[in-house]
Structures are given as structure tokens and as C-alpha cells.
Amino acid sequence: PMILQWTGLLVTALLVCVALVLIGRGARVEQLVAARTEELAQKSAELAATNHRLREEIAEREAVAARLRHEQSEREAAQARAQEAQSNFHHSLEHAQIGSWGYDSRTGLVTGPRELCRLYGLEGEQFSRDIGLCEQFVHPEDRARFSAAMRAGVENGEDVDVDLRIVPAGGTERWVRTRARCKAGTDGGVQILGVSWDISRELEAAAHTRLLA
């Protein structure tokens, strides 16, 4: 009987130990699960924050891209309007037979757009002639006044204001009015910027009016 009692006690103690071991392991497992759960929750929060930050960056980049596209569209529209305005301006000048021009005392060249070419009966999109060659288009009786007006502009900075006759290439004699302003260049040269236009019909109409008066 004593042996049985001791055996029972040993078995009971063994079972208690096993139970304690199992309980301890269960507690550790629960701790591990809790720690792992907390770690996963933290990583999930970090991932959510990262996703939120990425969405904000993407939205910001999309906004910048949209703004750049809008600015590009506005620049293209402004460029198109400027080209249209320039084209209309040139058409108006051509219709009115007005030629803008510039003279640079350093090079001695008179330059201008196609309207100036048309005024002098020349072909081409750009007018570029030495001042001496330009004088050849001026009527011989008016060349002295033309030279004096240009010389006064270069030497004294006086405005050019002269009406004179020109003989266009392959054309008939016409009266041209020239108005120009002079300005000193940064390198000591002088630039004269002006416009010339055909006043033949204006003078003919004035003469006709005087005849009727």
C-alpha cells in the first residue's frame, strides 16, 4: 500500500509538472502571439502611413503635371495669337502699302520686312540694302533731301520727316512719305527706325480737290 501511495503521489506530481509546463508554454505562446500581433499592427500602421504619403505625393505630382500642361497650353495659345496678330499686322501693312524699316550706321544697311520690298517693287521676304543702293530708288531730284534727312538723323539725332518720289524696280514713279526716329546705340552707333508709305493717291486726291475748288 505504501508503494501505491508513493506511486500515486509521483504520478500526481508528474501530472502537475506537465500541467505547469503546458501552462507555461501556453503563456509564452500567448505572449509571442500578442507580441507578433502588436508587431503586425505597427507594421500595418506604418504601411498605411506610407501608402497615405505616397498617395499625397502622387496627387501633388499629378497637380504639378496638370499645371504644367495648362501653362504649356496657354503658351501655345498665346504664341498662336501672337502669330495671328503678326500675320494680320503684316497683311494690314501690305494692304496699306506701309513698310517699316531700320538703318544701322555701323553697317550702313537698311533692313525691313516684305512690305518694304513691295513698296520698292522688289521680290522677297526681307529687305536688306546698303543706304547707297536705297538712294538709287529715290528720284534724282529728291536724293539730296533724302541724304540730308538721313545725315541729320545720324549726326544730330533729328527725326526724319520727308516726302519724296521713288522709282520702284520695274514700276512707275510714286510719292512716298517717310517718318523715323533716331536713337544712339550702346556701341556708339546710331539706329534709325521708321516707316514709309505710298501717298501718291493722297496727293492726287488733294490735287483733284484743288482743281475743283
Side-chain angles (χ1 to χ4, degrees), residues 1 28 40 51 55 57 62 67-68 84 87 89 93 116 133 143 158 160 162 169 171 178 183 185 190 204 208:
R28 285 197 296 276
L40 290 175
N51 288 336
R55 286 194 296 269
E57 291 179 358
E62 289 178 348
R67 185 171 65 253
L68 291 176
E84 182 180 4
S87 177
F89 176 70
L93 290 180
L116 194 62
L133 294 177
R143 287 177 185 171
E158 296 180 11
V160 176
V162 61
T178 296
K183 67 175 184 178
V190 175
E204 291 174 0
H208 183 68

Side-chain angles (χ1 to χ4, degrees), residues 132-174:
L133 294 177
C134 292
E135 289 182 359
Q136 295 179 6
F137 290 102
V138 180
H139 192 283
E141 295 180 3
D142 296 337
R143 287 177 185 171
R145 290 194 299 112
F146 174 75
S147 298
M150 294 296 290
R151 186 168 55 254
V154 173
E155 296 178 357
N156 304 324
E158 296 180 11
D159 292 344
V160 176
D161 185 353
V162 61
D163 294 346
L164 47 81
R165 290 164 292 177
I166 66 170
V167 182
T172 57
E173 177 183 302
R174 65 179 62 168

Side-chain angles (χ1 to χ4, degrees), residues 15-29:
L15 292 174
V16 170
C17 290
V18 171
L20 291 175
V21 170
L22 293 176
I23 292 172
R25 288 182 177 179
R28 285 197 296 276
V29 168

Side-chain angles (χ1 to χ4, degrees), residues 1 12 21 38 89 116 126 134 138 179 199 206 211:
T12 302
V21 170
E38 183 178 356
F89 176 70
L116 194 62
Q126 288 292 324
C134 292
V138 180
R179 300 288 185 270
I199 61 171
L211 290 175

Side-chain angles (χ1 to χ4, degrees), residues 82-202:
Q83 291 175 348
E84 182 180 4
Q86 185 177 17
S87 177
N88 292 336
F89 176 70
H90 283 301
H91 284 309
S92 298
L93 290 180
E94 187 172 2
H95 180 73
Q97 293 184 312
I98 298 175
S100 60
W101 54 272
Y103 170 71
D104 191 334
S105 65
R106 298 171 305 167
T107 62
L109 292 178
V110 176
T111 57
R114 63 184 181 184
E115 291 79 24
L116 194 62
C117 293
R118 305 296 184 269
L119 189 63
Y120 284 93
L122 301 173
E123 296 295 331
E125 296 298 318
Q126 288 292 324
F127 184 95
S128 181
R129 295 287 190 281
D130 183 87
I131 187 67
L133 294 177
C134 292
E135 289 182 359
Q136 295 179 6
F137 290 102
V138 180
H139 192 283
E141 295 180 3
D142 296 337
R143 287 177 185 171
R145 290 194 299 112
F146 174 75
S147 298
M150 294 296 290
R151 186 168 55 254
V154 173
E155 296 178 357
N156 304 324
E158 296 180 11
D159 292 344
V160 176
D161 185 353
V162 61
D163 294 346
L164 47 81
R165 290 164 292 177
I166 66 170
V167 182
T172 57
E173 177 183 302
R174 65 179 62 168
W175 278 91
V176 169
R177 177 164 293 162
T178 296
R179 300 288 185 270
R181 291 285 181 89
C182 303
K183 67 175 184 178
T186 56
D187 55 357
V190 175
Q191 290 184 335
I192 302 179
L193 304 177
V195 292
S196 299
W197 67 96
D198 190 343
I199 61 171
S200 300
R201 293 183 179 179
E202 178 183 339

